[in-house]
Amino acid sequence: MGDASSKFPYSGMLYRSRLDLGTFDECVELDVTREGIRVLGKHCVSGLVIPTKPLGSPDLLEGAHRLSTCLPDKCSAQYLLELANLSFVYPLFNDFSCSTSETGSEFTWDDYVVILFFALVVLVLLGATAYDWYAVGKRHVLVQAFSMLHNGRKLLQISRGSSDQVLVIHGLRVISMMWIVAGHSFVSKEDKVDNVEATLRFQFSRKSFYITTAYLAVDTFFFLSGFMLPYQYLKAKPQPLKEHVKRVPALILHRYVRLTPVAFVAFITFTSVFKHLGNGPLFHLALKQERDYCLDYWWSYFTYLQNYVNHQDVCLVHTWYISADWQMFLISPLILIPVALAVRRHFKAVMVGLGVVNVLVAAVPIALKFTFEDYDNAFETHSRLTGYFIGFGLGVFMRERSDQKLRCSKLTNAALWAVALLLLAAATAAYKELQLMIHSEQDQSYSTWVIVLRSGWCLGLCWVVYACHNGRGGAINWLLTTPLVQVLSKLTYCMYFTHLSFVLYFNATTRSLKLFSQFGEIWDAISVYMMTMVLSVFATMAFESPIIVLEKHLLSGRGLLQAKRTHGFNGPDITNVPQ
């Protein structure tokens, strides 16, 4: 036990992290029985706190050395304090994060239910796939819904492009997903490295712009979400107001059905069986905190209200985006229906009106931030509406002018591309500068300018989408529409849900603090992305694809004997679920 505990003093005390994890496995593997008494090794992170300030200081723990201890499992922190005659001061010994070999090993009824659920899913997939393989002739829709052969073919199906398909969005999704994975991988390890100072120097330097500005990738998703809604909706023939209003409940139900199955699977996995998949000095403490958030706020998780109701204690923190996107969709009929009624006859007036809407959704959040300076919510929807409605406006424009091809000289096209790429680069650079200003001056008023930068970023994306769709994208269009990119794009929704599980797992199961390096961070991000991609293939075919097939079949009004060829998995539903 003494060998497994942290040592003090240790080499590099002035440079390394002041958190030491000891030797976790050596401690928890201790299991000794003497004279009928069983003793287990109990590993406690920060079990011994050595302050660097005088006892009694109000900020005693600030800058303190946090050492890990290995003690008998029946030995409590209170007993150690009494033994050391230190019970009169702040508890230098504590056991708030302790683990033994039996911690988390017990299975509860909900664990068995979730395991049974996944076993049934696997059996259904295997059965449907086997039947699909051997059956001849017509196939039941349920077979196609759960057949991995059928869904796999749809997953690998490549579109060659048409005047109605905007293939460039596939590439934008994939690049944004890569950027988000890298950003989350980096941010999650800010305080879990040995050379903390080196990490902070990198984070708050300009050379880290390529990773710390990944927040803009989320705005790309909002932009694509706003773009696809009117682009698909306005494809239908003009209808009276009554018909548009009658469609709203069905659209909302359709949206919820598409979003929720994957969200449900992520929730039950994380709150039950995930704790049995690993261990480590930080594992059970990290999982308990996140699991408590989910159990306390399950209702806001499934009603997609987390980014306001419990924005400081979000269950599966990255799912705030799903809540924000859902809320944007709920308010979109207020704009979408008037646009659908007027755009065919008053196109110019509609576009001017959408311009006014974009100005308002940018100005109102800025005014609110100056009015309510103490309100701090990084996940608020109203500050993200700029990208959504810029994409919305582009979707209306491209749908209504789909028959008009872009005509310009090569020189003009090159100049417009240069302006768009410079706008994207300037938004990225300015975003980094604002991060540095907020960090150095602690002035939250700078954060209001982030809304303006998001608008600039999305304006640059407008040209990328428009030019590529109209044959003016060149090599950029080729890169964003390649077959591999189209396949990966169909996985983005499940990848968004699953990638943070890998990030959390790797961080929580670490046995010792690692040294930070840029190459190491890039390698970790690539590893997370590749494993997320593999898991997402299963998740897509098991939980997303069947819902898409079944819903399309039910909405088609046809019989249950044979699904149309178009009923298969066509990737994320870009009509109402822009991933």
Side-chain angles (χ1 to χ4, degrees):
M1 290 184 177
D3 186 50
S5 300
S6 300
K7 305 300 184 294
F8 189 85
Y10 52 87
S11 60
M13 288 177 56
L14 301 180
Y15 177 77
R16 292 172 52 193
S17 169
R18 298 196 174 186
L19 170 66
D20 189 85
L21 300 180
T23 309
F24 175 80
D25 292 295
E26 181 182 13
C27 181
V28 298
E29 288 175 5
L30 291 169
D31 187 347
V32 181
T33 302
R34 292 289 186 271
E35 299 179 0
I37 300 176
R38 187 187 181 196
V39 178
L40 298 177
K42 181 176 70 172
H43 183 276
C44 297
V45 178
S46 301
L48 173 59
V49 177
I50 300 180
T52 56
K53 298 181 178 181
L55 295 179
S57 299
D59 53 350
L60 178 66
L61 295 183
E62 183 178 342
H65 296 278
R66 293 166 293 154
L67 308 181
S68 296
T69 58
C70 183
L71 301 166
D73 58 315
K74 298 299 190 293
C75 188
S76 67
Q78 183 61 36
Y79 174 76
L80 292 175
L81 287 169
E82 294 174 357
L83 190 66
N85 198 25
L86 291 173
S87 57
F88 61 91
V89 299
Y90 193 93
L92 304 183
F93 291 102
N94 63 78
D95 47 15
F96 72 92
S97 177
C98 297
S99 303
T100 69
S101 58
E102 296 182 345
T103 302
S105 61
E106 58 280 352
F107 280 79
T108 57
W109 67 268
D110 53 313
D111 296 332
Y112 290 113
V113 170
V114 173
I115 292 173
L116 178 62
F117 168 76
F118 281 112
L120 290 175
V121 169
V122 172
L123 288 175
V124 170
L125 291 175
L126 293 177
T129 303
Y131 183 85
D132 194 26
W133 178 272
Y134 290 106
V136 178
K138 293 183 178 180
R139 293 173 176 83
H140 197 284
V141 65
L142 292 176
V143 174
Q144 288 195 335
F146 292 96
S147 170
M148 290 186 287
L149 287 176
H150 177 266
N151 295 332
R153 286 191 292 266
K154 292 297 181 180
L155 176 62
L156 298 176
Q157 184 176 339
I158 303 301
S159 176
R160 301 303 174 186
S162 67
S163 59
D164 191 53
Q165 293 178 310
V166 187
L167 297 182
V168 66
I169 66 173
H170 292 297
L172 294 178
R173 279 182 186 159
V174 172
I175 292 175
S176 298
M177 192 68 247
M178 291 179 175
W179 204 2
I180 288 172
V181 170
H184 284 161
S185 180
F186 171 75
V187 171
S188 66
K189 290 184 288 189
E190 288 178 345
D191 58 346
K192 298 179 181 64
V193 295
D194 211 1
N195 50 343
V196 177
E197 292 298 328
T199 309
L200 295 176
R201 284 196 301 269
F202 171 76
Q203 180 181 355
F204 297 109
S205 66
R206 291 180 176 84
K207 61 183 178 182
S208 68
F209 77 95
Y210 66 90
I211 189 71
T212 55
T213 56
Y215 301 97
L216 291 171
V218 180
D219 292 289
T220 301
F221 280 131
F222 286 131
F223 168 83
L224 295 177
S225 181
F227 169 80
M228 290 309 303
L229 179 60
Y231 187 79
Q232 295 285 15
Y233 188 88
L234 297 178
K235 184 179 179 179
K237 295 180 180 180
Q239 295 177 330
L241 173 62
K242 181 180 179 180
E243 293 300 319
H244 286 292
V245 174
K246 287 171 61 177
R247 292 179 63 186
V248 171
L251 288 174
I252 293 175
L253 178 62
H254 164 80
R255 177 70 163 221
Y256 190 84
V257 169
R258 290 294 180 90
L259 285 175
T260 307
V262 177
F264 170 76
V265 172
F267 181 89
I268 63 173
T269 302
F270 189 79
T271 56
S272 60
V273 296
F274 195 85
K275 62 179 178 289
H276 299 291
L277 301 180
N279 61 16
L282 305 171
F283 189 80
H284 297 290
L285 176 65
L287 259 62
K288 182 182 184 304
Q289 184 181 47
E290 296 296 331
R291 187 171 181 269
D292 288 345
Y293 293 160
C294 291
L295 296 178
D296 290 342
Y297 296 103
W298 61 269
W299 60 274
S300 62
Y301 177 87
F302 286 107
T303 54
Y304 305 113
L305 298 172
Q306 288 200 99
N307 58 327
Y308 282 105
V309 173
N310 51 299
H311 64 89
Q312 294 182 334
D313 303 322
V314 178
C315 167
L316 302 179
V317 64
H318 58 305
T319 61
W320 73 268
Y321 162 77
I322 308 299
S323 297
D325 188 74
W326 165 259
Q327 293 157 19
M328 291 178 186
F329 178 80
L330 288 182
I331 66 173
S332 62
L334 299 175
I335 306 296
L336 182 62
I337 294 177
V339 167
L341 292 172
V343 70
R344 302 289 166 85
R345 296 183 178 180
H346 309 286
F347 175 75
K348 292 183 179 179
V350 167
M351 294 309 299
V352 171
L354 289 176
V356 173
V357 169
N358 276 287
V359 172
L360 290 176
V361 297
V364 171
I366 292 176
L368 289 175
K369 284 185 177 294
F370 280 111
T371 303
F372 304 98
E373 296 182 1
D374 295 334
Y375 181 71
D376 183 21
N377 181 0
F379 305 139
E380 57 194 19
T381 300
H382 57 271
S383 294
R384 300 280 184 165
L385 289 172
T386 51
Y388 188 85
F389 280 105
I390 288 175
F392 190 99
L394 179 66
V396 173
F397 179 82
M398 288 181 59
R399 171 54 66 192
E400 295 304 310
R401 292 296 182 265
S402 59
D403 58 336
Q404 297 182 7
K405 296 297 181 182
L406 175 62
R407 301 182 183 278
C408 63
S409 64
K410 292 184 178 180
L411 180 61
T412 303
N413 184 58
L416 291 173
W417 267 106
V419 171
L421 294 178
L422 285 174
L423 189 58
L424 294 173
T428 305
Y431 200 104
K432 183 61 193 179
E433 291 299 319
L434 283 177
Q435 287 179 334
L436 297 177
M437 291 177 183
I438 294 172
H439 172 67
S440 60
E441 300 185 24
Q442 300 297 318
D443 188 350
Q444 293 300 322
S445 64
Y446 285 111
S447 63
T448 60
W449 292 103
V450 174
I451 299 173
V452 179
L453 294 180
R454 290 169 182 160
S455 301
W457 174 261
C458 293
L459 288 174
L461 292 177
C462 285
W463 175 254
V464 174
V465 173
Y466 183 71
C468 289
H469 182 63
N470 286 278
R472 295 289 179 171
I476 294 178
N477 180 63
W478 173 85
L479 176 66
L480 296 178
T481 59
T482 56
L484 177 61
V485 163
Q486 291 188 42
V487 174
L488 292 177
S489 174
K490 298 172 186 178
L491 302 174
T492 50
Y493 185 53
C494 287
M495 289 187 72
Y496 190 84
F497 263 99
T498 57
H499 79 278
L500 212 62
S501 297
F502 284 106
V503 173
L504 174 63
Y505 183 84
F506 290 146
N507 290 335
T509 56
T510 186
R511 264 50 176 177
S512 59
L513 302 180
K514 299 179 181 179
L515 290 175
F516 165 81
S517 69
Q518 292 188 57
F519 178 80
E521 292 300 315
I522 294 173
W523 180 258
D524 288 348
I526 293 174
S527 301
V528 170
Y529 185 86
M530 296 301 292
M531 284 182 284
T532 301
M533 180 178 62
V534 173
L535 179 60
S536 296
V537 172
F538 169 78
T540 299
M541 291 196 291
F543 305 112
E544 186 178 9
S545 169
I547 297 299
I548 293 176
V549 176
L550 294 175
E551 187 196 27
K552 284 184 177 181
H553 181 83
L554 293 174
L555 292 179
S556 69
R558 297 171 63 91
L560 291 176
L561 289 179
Q562 183 180 11
K564 295 169 62 178
R565 292 186 64 186
T566 56
H567 284 177
F569 175 71
N570 295 304
D573 176 33
I574 56 178
T575 303
N576 293 308
V577 188
Q579 315 309 345

